[in-house]
Amino acid sequence: MLKVLNLECLRGERRLFHGVGFGLDAGELLYLQGKNGAGKTTLLRMLCGLTPPAAGEILWRGENIRNLGGEFHAELCYLGHQNAIKEDLTPLENLRASARLAGETLDEDAALDALERVGLAGREDLACRYLSQGQKRRVALSRLVHERRALWILDEPFVALDTQAVSWLADIIGGHLQRGGLAALTTHQPVEIPSARVRELRLGA
Amino acid sequence: MNVILHIIARDLRLALRRPADLASVLFFFIIVASLFPLGVGPETDLLRRLAPGVLWVGALLATMLSLPRMFADDFYDGALEQLALAPYPLGFVVLGKTLAHWLVSGLPLAILAPLLGLQFDLPGDTLLILAGSILLGTPALSGIGAIGAALTLGLRGGGVLLSLLVLPLYIPVLIFGAGAVDASMSGISPNAHLFLLAALTVGGVAFAPWAAAAALKIALE
């Protein structure tokens, strides 16, 4: 479903990577590896369409994502380095606002349920400013629980999570793949994702 | 369409959680507009002549004060990336943010302006024209400002650059805004000025979001 051809990335004068190509089908996980500064985040941002590649093409269902625009975004869930949550809003408000902006309706019960599943029960009415780093990450991850998007692009999703949350997230990703979803992620922690058909890609090797 | 309303609702809620930001814009306007009568002294003729320009420049600078924050918070916490990845054009998001910016800057300034106009001994009908002209002109300021805010996003010392970029573009709004108040004071109909202000606002609000969206995409690369 996702096909990447001959991707090249330039950062200023430096060539971060070139000739990167792979395909990813339903139910498959792309495990992106590489040293710090190898261009993992940049590659993920290219897959989302945030950063245009210097050369090469990214095809989703056979069409260039640049031509698809909103159609592609409607099937994409991207979780970057930053949590994209508002410190002044509560977890509940954050989740519901992000759902509304993504063009989905999420009623209060469903939102509370999603927050309970990420382990934030009892914190849903506390401004995110007062939450710990790991709890903020959980608020950001709660989007994965309710959004039904085909392609998940996760940049270091396990950072700041405790071991319990790490295994919970691995299960969530496993479940997503089992339903026929696709996922691309980077991580420096060795995490076992259950029942995943894994493709590995090493940048800067 | 719903998207625009959702963005406005979200930004208003965020603005109300930080009332100090809103208050600083208003107090800046109050202080700038109050310094002139204090500095010039109680010469009502002179003050009346100065009033349109001083009040409009004050409103312009106060609007500018809140521009750098328009996209910066969303940029640094990653929310802007998510908005750029939403399944609709980024221009709608910027339009929503522009309107929200106007609701927390232009609208309160327009409400406040007649009170400050009293310090300049402006007659009653002129006070109404003053409020009306600020009401009509400030959406254009928010729209043009959005382009500047998007272009200077993520730059070090972007605030000064933002003023240098945006203030020259504010000149037409200033001329017709102050012109409307001037005209009403000298007994001429201010309609011509107000129509031109409205045209600037319609143009600014309709076209500026798309230019700002293009600038935001570059900032996000």
Side-chain angles (χ1 to χ4, degrees):
Chain A
M1 281 164 91
L2 181 72
K3 209 168 175 58
V4 170
L5 303 169
N6 228 346
L7 219 55
E8 178 175 344
C9 168
L10 297 174
R11 270 279 175 257
E13 298 278 289
R14 234 163 63 81
R15 188 154 78 171
L16 271 183
F17 54 78
H18 65 104
V20 169
F22 59 87
L24 203 61
D25 269 320
E28 287 186 329
L29 169 76
L30 177 74
Y31 201 161
L32 198 56
Q33 287 170 315
K35 295 182 300 219
N36 291 139
K40 299 187 292 296
T41 294
T42 312
L43 179 57
L44 290 184
R45 291 174 66 89
M46 280 181 181
L47 292 181
C48 299
L50 282 171
T51 306
E57 283 187 278
I58 301 163
L59 307 175
W60 175 250
R61 299 186 198 275
E63 236 188 293
N64 197 319
I65 59 166
R66 229 183 307 170
N67 306 330
L68 284 172
E71 259 175 81
F72 173 59
H73 291 157
E75 294 193 85
L76 168 79
C77 181
Y78 169 68
L79 199 77
H81 269 290
Q82 292 137 328
N83 290 325
I85 59 171
K86 290 285 161 197
E87 304 257 301
D88 290 327
L89 300 183
T90 67
L92 185 62
E93 288 169 329
N94 262 304
L95 184 59
R96 295 195 70 193
S98 76
R100 270 196 295 269
L101 294 176
E104 290 168 19
T105 44
L106 181 69
D107 59 41
E108 192 164 331
D109 290 336
L112 285 171
D113 183 52
L115 288 171
E116 198 186 317
R117 286 181 57 191
V118 294
L120 286 170
R123 301 278 190 284
E124 53 279 272
D125 287 326
L126 195 67
C128 286
R129 199 172 337 127
Y130 304 114
L131 297 181
S132 77
Q133 206 57 39
Q135 285 174 322
K136 284 179 194 167
R137 196 72 184 158
R138 286 167 185 241
V139 177
L141 289 168
S142 63
R143 283 175 50 211
L144 297 178
V145 176
H146 77 86
E147 277 185 10
R148 289 279 169 262
R149 307 283 179 97
L151 174 62
W152 287 5
I153 294 185
L154 312 172
D155 197 352
E156 305 255 10
F158 300 107
V159 162
L161 294 180
D162 57 26
T163 46
Q164 202 188 348
V166 166
S167 69
W168 168 82
L169 179 57
D171 286 341
I172 288 272
I173 297 173
H176 168 68
L177 296 168
Q178 251 166 8
R179 283 192 301 270
L182 292 76
L185 63 85
T186 64
T187 174
H188 291 291
Q189 293 159 264
V191 177
E192 196 66 38
I193 306 231
S195 71
R197 292 208 303 278
V198 182
R199 276 168 192 266
E200 290 197 16
L201 182 69
R202 180 166 286 278
L203 286 179
Chain B
M1 242 4 238
N2 274 339
V3 175
I4 300 172
L5 296 179
H6 288 324
I7 290 276
I8 294 176
R10 165 185 177 273
D11 275 21
L12 284 183
R13 179 178 290 190
L14 284 170
L16 292 177
R17 294 279 156 97
R18 290 191 181 188
D21 288 355
L22 172 63
S24 64
V25 169
L26 295 182
F27 276 103
F28 179 83
F29 183 45
I30 293 172
I31 286 175
V32 167
S34 307
L35 287 178
F36 279 84
L38 293 173
V40 170
E43 293 171 53
T44 45
D45 280 342
L46 186 59
L47 281 176
R48 240 179 271 141
R49 292 266 312 279
L50 280 176
V54 166
L55 288 167
W56 254 96
V57 168
L60 214 108
L61 294 176
T63 306
M64 271 242 353
L65 204 61
S66 57
L67 280 180
R69 280 195 304 269
M70 200 163 172
F71 301 114
D73 291 343
D74 285 338
F75 181 66
Y76 288 113
D77 66 19
L80 199 59
E81 286 175 352
Q82 295 297 337
L83 292 174
L85 290 177
Y88 38 76
L90 188 56
F92 288 157
V93 174
V94 180
L95 178 58
K97 290 187 85 69
T98 304
L99 295 175
H101 179 262
W102 177 75
L103 285 173
V104 295
S105 66
L107 183 63
L109 290 179
I111 295 169
L112 208 58
L115 289 176
L116 296 174
L118 288 175
Q119 298 185 90
F120 293 83
D121 194 34
L122 291 182
D125 49 344
T126 305
L127 288 175
L128 279 182
I129 296 295
L130 173 69
S133 70
I134 291 183
L135 205 60
L136 263 181
T138 39
L141 300 184
S142 296
I144 297 166
I147 302 178
L151 281 172
T152 54
L153 194 58
L155 296 185
R156 226 173 261 275
V160 180
L161 187 60
L162 175 62
S163 341
L164 292 178
L165 272 175
V166 160
L167 281 178
L169 299 174
Y170 279 179
I171 292 173
V173 181
L174 172 67
I175 290 175
F176 295 119
V181 184
D182 231 0
S184 128
M185 228 171 3
S186 39
I188 315 166
S189 161
N191 285 352
H193 294 279
L194 293 177
F195 287 147
L196 282 164
L197 262 188
L200 286 172
T201 283
V202 170
V205 173
F207 295 117
W210 304 97
L216 287 179
K217 279 186 187 149
I218 295 170
L220 282 173
E221 271 180 18

Coordinates of all heavy atoms in Angstrom, one line a residue, chain A residues 94-161:
Chain A
N94 N -8.0 18.2 25.3 CA -7.1 18.0 24.3 C -7.5 16.9 23.3 O -7.4 17.1 22.1 CB -5.7 17.6 24.9 CG -4.8 18.7 25.1 OD1 -4.4 19.4 24.1 ND2 -4.3 19.0 26.3
L95 N -8.0 15.8 23.9 CA -8.3 14.7 23.0 C -9.5 15.1 22.2 O -9.5 14.8 21.0 CB -8.6 13.5 23.9 CG -9.0 12.2 23.2 CD1 -7.8 11.8 22.3 CD2 -9.3 11.1 24.2
R96 N -10.5 15.7 22.8 CA -11.7 16.0 22.0 C -11.4 17.1 21.0 O -11.9 17.0 19.8 CB -12.9 16.5 22.9 CG -13.3 15.4 23.8 CD -14.6 15.7 24.5 NE -15.7 15.6 23.5 CZ -16.9 16.1 23.8 NH1 -17.2 16.6 25.0 NH2 -17.9 16.0 22.9
A97 N -10.6 18.1 21.3 CA -10.2 19.1 20.3 C -9.5 18.5 19.1 O -9.7 18.8 18.0 CB -9.4 20.2 21.0
S98 N -8.5 17.6 19.4 CA -7.8 17.0 18.3 C -8.7 16.2 17.5 O -8.5 16.1 16.2 CB -6.5 16.3 18.8 OG -6.9 15.0 19.4
A99 N -9.6 15.5 18.1 CA -10.6 14.7 17.3 C -11.4 15.6 16.4 O -11.6 15.3 15.2 CB -11.5 13.9 18.2
R100 N -11.9 16.7 16.9 CA -12.7 17.6 16.1 C -11.9 18.2 15.0 O -12.4 18.3 13.9 CB -13.2 18.8 17.0 CG -14.6 18.5 17.7 CD -15.2 19.8 18.1 NE -14.4 20.4 19.2 CZ -14.6 20.1 20.5 NH1 -15.5 19.3 20.9 NH2 -13.8 20.7 21.4
L101 N -10.7 18.6 15.3 CA -9.8 19.2 14.2 C -9.5 18.1 13.1 O -9.2 18.5 12.0 CB -8.6 19.8 14.8 CG -8.9 21.0 15.7 CD1 -7.6 21.5 16.3 CD2 -9.5 22.1 14.9
A102 N -9.5 16.8 13.5 CA -9.2 15.8 12.6 C -10.4 15.4 11.8 O -10.4 14.5 11.0 CB -8.6 14.6 13.3
G103 N -11.5 16.1 12.1 CA -12.8 15.9 11.3 C -13.6 14.7 11.8 O -14.4 14.2 11.1
E104 N -13.3 14.3 13.1 CA -14.1 13.2 13.7 C -14.9 13.7 14.8 O -14.6 14.7 15.4 CB -13.1 12.1 14.2 CG -12.4 11.5 13.0 CD -11.2 10.6 13.5 OE1 -11.2 10.3 14.7 OE2 -10.3 10.3 12.7
T105 N -16.0 12.9 15.1 CA -16.7 13.3 16.3 C -16.4 12.3 17.4 O -16.3 11.0 17.1 CB -18.2 13.2 16.0 OG1 -18.5 12.0 15.3 CG2 -18.7 14.4 15.2
L106 N -16.2 12.8 18.5 CA -15.8 11.9 19.7 C -16.6 12.4 20.9 O -16.4 13.5 21.3 CB -14.3 12.1 19.9 CG -13.7 11.2 21.1 CD1 -13.7 9.8 20.7 CD2 -12.3 11.7 21.4
D107 N -17.6 11.6 21.3 CA -18.4 12.1 22.4 C -17.6 11.9 23.7 O -16.6 11.2 23.8 CB -19.7 11.4 22.4 CG -19.7 9.9 22.6 OD1 -18.8 9.5 23.3 OD2 -20.4 9.2 21.9
E108 N -18.1 12.5 24.8 CA -17.4 12.6 26.0 C -17.1 11.2 26.6 O -16.0 10.9 27.1 CB -18.1 13.4 27.0 CG -17.3 13.8 28.2 CD -17.9 14.9 29.0 OE1 -18.5 15.8 28.5 OE2 -17.6 14.9 30.2
D109 N -18.0 10.3 26.5 CA -17.9 8.9 27.1 C -16.7 8.2 26.3 O -15.9 7.6 27.0 CB -19.2 8.1 26.9 CG -20.2 8.7 27.9 OD1 -19.8 9.3 28.9 OD2 -21.4 8.5 27.7
A110 N -16.7 8.3 25.0 CA -15.7 7.6 24.2 C -14.3 8.2 24.6 O -13.3 7.5 24.7 CB -16.0 7.8 22.7
A111 N -14.3 9.6 24.8 CA -13.0 10.2 25.1 C -12.5 9.8 26.5 O -11.4 9.4 26.7 CB -13.2 11.7 25.0
L112 N -13.5 9.7 27.4 CA -13.1 9.3 28.8 C -12.6 7.8 28.8 O -11.7 7.5 29.4 CB -14.3 9.4 29.7 CG -14.7 10.8 30.2 CD1 -16.0 10.8 30.9 CD2 -13.5 11.4 31.0
D113 N -13.3 7.0 27.9 CA -12.9 5.6 27.8 C -11.5 5.5 27.3 O -10.6 4.8 27.8 CB -13.9 4.9 26.9 CG -13.6 3.5 26.7 OD1 -13.4 2.8 27.8 OD2 -13.4 3.0 25.6
A114 N -11.2 6.3 26.2 CA -9.8 6.3 25.6 C -8.8 6.7 26.7 O -7.7 6.1 26.8 CB -9.8 7.2 24.4
L115 N -9.1 7.7 27.5 CA -8.1 8.2 28.5 C -8.0 7.2 29.6 O -6.9 7.0 30.1 CB -8.6 9.5 29.1 CG -8.5 10.7 28.1 CD1 -9.2 11.9 28.7 CD2 -7.0 11.0 27.8
E116 N -9.0 6.5 29.9 CA -8.9 5.4 30.9 C -8.0 4.3 30.4 O -7.2 3.8 31.1 CB -10.3 4.9 31.2 CG -10.3 4.1 32.5 CD -11.7 3.4 32.8 OE1 -12.7 4.1 32.5 OE2 -11.7 2.3 33.2
R117 N -8.1 4.0 29.1 CA -7.3 2.9 28.5 C -5.8 3.3 28.5 O -5.0 2.4 28.5 CB -7.8 2.5 27.1 CG -9.1 1.7 27.3 CD -9.6 1.3 25.9 NE -8.7 0.5 25.2 CZ -8.8 0.2 23.9 NH1 -9.9 0.7 23.2 NH2 -7.9 -0.5 23.3
V118 N -5.5 4.6 28.4 CA -4.0 4.9 28.5 C -3.6 5.2 29.9 O -2.5 5.6 30.1 CB -3.7 6.2 27.6 CG1 -3.9 5.9 26.1 CG2 -4.5 7.4 28.0
G119 N -4.5 4.9 30.8 CA -4.1 5.0 32.2 C -4.1 6.4 32.8 O -3.3 6.8 33.7
L120 N -5.0 7.2 32.3 CA -5.1 8.6 32.8 C -6.5 8.8 33.6 O -6.9 9.9 33.7 CB -5.0 9.6 31.7 CG -3.6 9.8 31.2 CD1 -3.6 10.6 29.9 CD2 -2.7 10.4 32.2
A121 N -7.1 7.7 34.0 CA -8.3 7.9 34.7 C -8.1 8.7 36.0 O -7.1 8.5 36.7 CB -8.9 6.5 35.1
G122 N -9.0 9.7 36.2 CA -8.8 10.5 37.4 C -8.0 11.8 37.1 O -7.9 12.7 37.9
R123 N -7.3 11.8 35.9 CA -6.5 13.0 35.6 C -7.1 13.7 34.4 O -6.5 14.7 33.9 CB -5.1 12.5 35.1 CG -4.3 11.7 36.1 CD -3.6 12.7 37.1 NE -2.7 12.0 37.9 CZ -3.0 11.2 38.9 NH1 -4.3 11.0 39.2 NH2 -2.1 10.6 39.7
E124 N -8.4 13.3 34.0 CA -8.9 13.9 32.8 C -9.3 15.4 32.9 O -9.3 16.1 31.9 CB -10.0 13.1 32.2 CG -11.2 12.7 33.1 CD -10.9 11.6 34.0 OE1 -11.2 10.4 33.7 OE2 -10.5 11.9 35.1
D125 N -9.4 15.9 34.1 CA -9.8 17.3 34.3 C -8.7 18.1 34.9 O -8.9 19.2 35.4 CB -11.1 17.4 35.2 CG -12.3 16.9 34.4 OD1 -12.3 17.2 33.2 OD2 -13.2 16.3 35.0
L126 N -7.5 17.6 34.8 CA -6.3 18.4 35.3 C -5.6 19.0 34.1 O -5.4 18.3 33.1 CB -5.4 17.4 36.0 CG -4.4 17.9 37.0 CD1 -5.0 18.6 38.2 CD2 -3.5 16.8 37.4
A127 N -5.3 20.3 34.2 CA -4.6 20.9 33.0 C -3.3 20.1 32.8 O -2.6 19.7 33.7 CB -4.2 22.3 33.3
C128 N -3.0 19.9 31.5 CA -1.8 19.1 31.1 C -0.5 19.6 31.7 O 0.5 18.9 31.7 CB -1.7 18.9 29.6 SG -3.0 17.9 29.0
R129 N -0.5 20.9 32.0 CA 0.7 21.6 32.5 C 1.2 20.8 33.8 O 2.3 20.7 34.1 CB 0.3 23.0 32.9 CG 1.4 23.9 33.1 CD 0.9 25.4 33.3 NE -0.4 25.6 32.7 CZ -1.4 26.2 33.4 NH1 -1.2 26.5 34.7 NH2 -2.6 26.4 32.9
Y130 N 0.2 20.3 34.6 CA 0.5 19.6 35.8 C 0.9 18.1 35.7 O 1.1 17.4 36.7 CB -0.6 19.8 36.8 CG -1.0 21.2 37.1 CD1 -2.2 21.7 36.7 CD2 0.0 22.1 37.6 CE1 -2.5 23.1 36.8 CE2 -0.4 23.4 37.8 CZ -1.6 23.9 37.4 OH -1.9 25.2 37.6
L131 N 0.9 17.6 34.4 CA 1.1 16.2 34.3 C 2.6 16.0 34.1 O 3.4 16.9 33.7 CB 0.4 15.7 33.0 CG -1.1 15.7 33.1 CD1 -1.7 15.2 31.8 CD2 -1.7 15.0 34.2
S132 N 3.0 14.7 34.3 CA 4.5 14.4 34.1 C 4.7 14.2 32.6 O 3.8 14.1 31.9 CB 4.8 13.1 34.9 OG 4.3 12.0 34.2
Q133 N 6.0 14.1 32.3 CA 6.4 13.9 30.9 C 5.7 12.6 30.3 O 5.2 12.6 29.2 CB 7.9 13.8 30.8 CG 8.5 14.2 29.5 CD 8.1 15.6 29.1 OE1 8.0 16.5 30.0 NE2 7.8 15.8 27.9
G134 N 5.7 11.5 31.1 CA 5.2 10.3 30.6 C 3.7 10.4 30.5 O 3.1 9.8 29.5
Q135 N 3.0 11.1 31.4 CA 1.6 11.3 31.3 C 1.2 12.1 30.1 O 0.2 11.8 29.5 CB 1.0 11.9 32.6 CG 1.0 10.9 33.8 CD 0.6 11.6 35.1 OE1 1.0 12.7 35.3 NE2 -0.1 10.9 35.9
K136 N 2.0 13.1 29.8 CA 1.7 13.9 28.6 C 1.8 13.1 27.4 O 1.0 13.2 26.4 CB 2.7 15.1 28.5 CG 2.4 16.2 29.5 CD 3.5 17.3 29.3 CE 3.4 18.2 30.5 NZ 4.5 19.1 30.6
R137 N 2.8 12.2 27.4 CA 3.0 11.3 26.2 C 1.7 10.4 26.1 O 1.3 10.1 25.0 CB 4.2 10.4 26.4 CG 4.8 9.7 25.2 CD 5.3 10.7 24.2 NE 5.8 10.1 23.0 CZ 5.9 10.7 21.8 NH1 5.7 12.0 21.8 NH2 6.3 10.1 20.8
R138 N 1.2 10.0 27.3 CA 0.0 9.1 27.2 C -1.2 9.9 26.7 O -2.0 9.3 25.9 CB -0.3 8.6 28.6 CG 0.6 7.6 29.2 CD 0.4 7.4 30.6 NE 1.4 6.4 31.2 CZ 1.0 5.3 31.8 NH1 -0.3 5.0 31.9 NH2 1.9 4.5 32.3
V139 N -1.3 11.2 27.0 CA -2.4 12.0 26.4 C -2.3 11.9 24.9 O -3.2 11.7 24.2 CB -2.3 13.4 26.9 CG1 -3.4 14.2 26.2 CG2 -2.5 13.4 28.4
A140 N -1.0 12.1 24.4 CA -0.8 12.2 22.9 C -1.1 10.8 22.3 O -1.7 10.7 21.3 CB 0.6 12.5 22.6
L141 N -0.8 9.7 23.1 CA -1.0 8.4 22.6 C -2.5 8.0 22.6 O -2.9 7.1 21.9 CB -0.2 7.4 23.4 CG 1.3 7.4 23.2 CD1 1.9 6.5 24.3 CD2 1.6 6.9 21.8
S142 N -3.3 8.7 23.4 CA -4.7 8.3 23.5 C -5.4 8.5 22.1 O -6.4 7.9 21.9 CB -5.4 9.2 24.5 OG -5.4 10.5 24.2
R143 N -4.8 9.3 21.2 CA -5.4 9.4 19.9 C -5.4 8.1 19.2 O -6.2 7.8 18.4 CB -4.5 10.4 19.1 CG -4.8 11.8 19.4 CD -3.9 12.7 18.6 NE -3.8 12.4 17.2 CZ -2.8 12.6 16.5 NH1 -1.7 13.0 17.0 NH2 -2.8 12.3 15.2
L144 N -4.3 7.3 19.5 CA -4.2 6.0 18.8 C -5.4 5.0 19.1 O -5.7 4.2 18.4 CB -2.9 5.3 19.1 CG -1.6 6.0 18.7 CD1 -0.4 5.3 19.1 CD2 -1.6 6.2 17.2
V145 N -5.9 5.3 20.3 CA -6.9 4.3 20.8 C -8.2 4.5 20.0 O -8.9 3.6 19.7 CB -7.2 4.6 22.3 CG1 -8.3 3.7 22.8 CG2 -5.9 4.3 23.1
H146 N -8.6 5.8 19.7 CA -9.9 6.0 19.1 C -9.8 6.2 17.6 O -10.8 6.0 16.9 CB -10.6 7.1 19.8 CG -10.2 8.5 19.5 ND1 -10.7 9.1 18.4 CD2 -9.2 9.3 20.0 CE1 -10.1 10.3 18.3 NE2 -9.2 10.4 19.2
E147 N -8.7 6.8 17.1 CA -8.7 7.1 15.7 C -8.5 5.8 14.9 O -7.6 5.0 15.2 CB -7.6 8.1 15.4 CG -8.0 9.5 15.7 CD -6.9 10.5 15.3 OE1 -5.9 10.1 14.6 OE2 -7.0 11.7 15.6
R148 N -9.3 5.7 13.9 CA -9.1 4.5 13.0 C -8.5 4.9 11.7 O -9.2 5.1 10.7 CB -10.5 3.8 12.8 CG -11.1 3.2 14.0 CD -10.5 1.8 14.2 NE -10.8 1.3 15.5 CZ -10.0 1.3 16.6 NH1 -8.8 1.8 16.5 NH2 -10.4 0.8 17.7
R149 N -7.2 5.0 11.7 CA -6.4 5.4 10.5 C -5.6 4.2 10.1 O -5.2 3.4 10.9 CB -5.5 6.6 10.8 CG -6.2 7.8 11.4 CD -7.0 8.5 10.4 NE -7.7 9.7 11.0 CZ -7.2 10.9 10.9 NH1 -6.0 11.2 10.5 NH2 -7.9 11.9 11.4
A150 N -5.4 4.1 8.7 CA -4.7 2.9 8.2 C -3.2 3.0 8.5 O -2.6 2.0 8.8 CB -5.0 2.8 6.7
L151 N -2.6 4.2 8.4 CA -1.2 4.3 8.5 C -0.8 5.0 9.7 O -1.1 6.2 9.9 CB -0.6 5.0 7.2 CG 0.9 5.3 7.2 CD1 1.7 4.0 7.3 CD2 1.2 6.1 5.9
W152 N 0.0 4.4 10.6 CA 0.5 5.1 11.8 C 2.0 5.4 11.6 O 2.8 4.5 11.2 CB 0.4 4.2 13.0 CG -1.0 4.0 13.5 CD1 -2.1 4.5 12.9 CD2 -1.4 3.3 14.7 NE1 -3.2 4.1 13.7 CE2 -2.8 3.4 14.8 CE3 -0.7 2.6 15.7 CZ2 -3.6 2.8 15.8 CZ3 -1.5 2.0 16.7 CH2 -2.9 2.2 16.8
I153 N 2.4 6.6 11.8 CA 3.8 7.0 11.7 C 4.2 7.5 13.1 O 3.7 8.5 13.5 CB 4.0 8.0 10.6 CG1 3.7 7.3 9.3 CG2 5.4 8.5 10.6 CD1 4.0 8.2 8.1
L154 N 5.0 6.8 13.8 CA 5.3 7.1 15.2 C 6.8 7.3 15.3 O 7.6 6.5 15.0 CB 4.9 5.9 16.0 CG 3.5 5.3 15.8 CD1 3.3 4.1 16.6 CD2 2.4 6.3 16.1
D155 N 7.1 8.5 15.8 CA 8.5 8.9 16.0 C 8.9 8.7 17.4 O 8.4 9.5 18.3 CB 8.7 10.4 15.5 CG 10.2 10.7 15.3 OD1 11.0 9.9 15.7 OD2 10.4 11.8 14.8
E156 N 9.6 7.7 17.7 CA 10.0 7.4 19.1 C 8.8 7.4 20.1 O 8.8 8.1 21.0 CB 11.0 8.5 19.6 CG 12.2 8.7 18.7 CD 13.5 8.1 19.3 OE1 13.4 7.3 20.3 OE2 14.6 8.3 18.8
P157 N 7.9 6.5 19.8 CA 6.7 6.5 20.6 C 6.9 6.1 22.1 O 6.1 6.4 22.9 CB 5.7 5.6 19.9 CG 6.6 4.6 19.1 CD 7.8 5.5 18.8
F158 N 8.0 5.3 22.3 CA 8.2 4.7 23.6 C 8.9 5.7 24.6 O 9.1 5.3 25.8 CB 8.9 3.4 23.5 CG 8.2 2.4 22.7 CD1 8.7 2.1 21.4 CD2 7.1 1.8 23.2 CE1 8.0 1.2 20.6 CE2 6.4 0.9 22.4 CZ 6.8 0.6 21.1
V159 N 9.4 6.8 24.1 CA 10.1 7.7 25.0 C 9.3 8.2 26.1 O 8.1 8.5 26.0 CB 10.7 8.9 24.1 CG1 11.0 10.1 25.0 CG2 11.8 8.5 23.3
A160 N 9.9 8.2 27.3 CA 9.3 8.7 28.5 C 8.2 7.8 29.1 O 7.6 8.2 30.2 CB 8.7 10.1 28.3
L161 N 7.9 6.7 28.5 CA 6.9 5.8 29.0 C 7.5 4.8 30.0 O 8.6 4.4 29.9 CB 6.2 5.0 27.9 CG 5.4 5.8 26.9 CD1 4.8 4.9 25.9 CD2 4.3 6.6 27.6

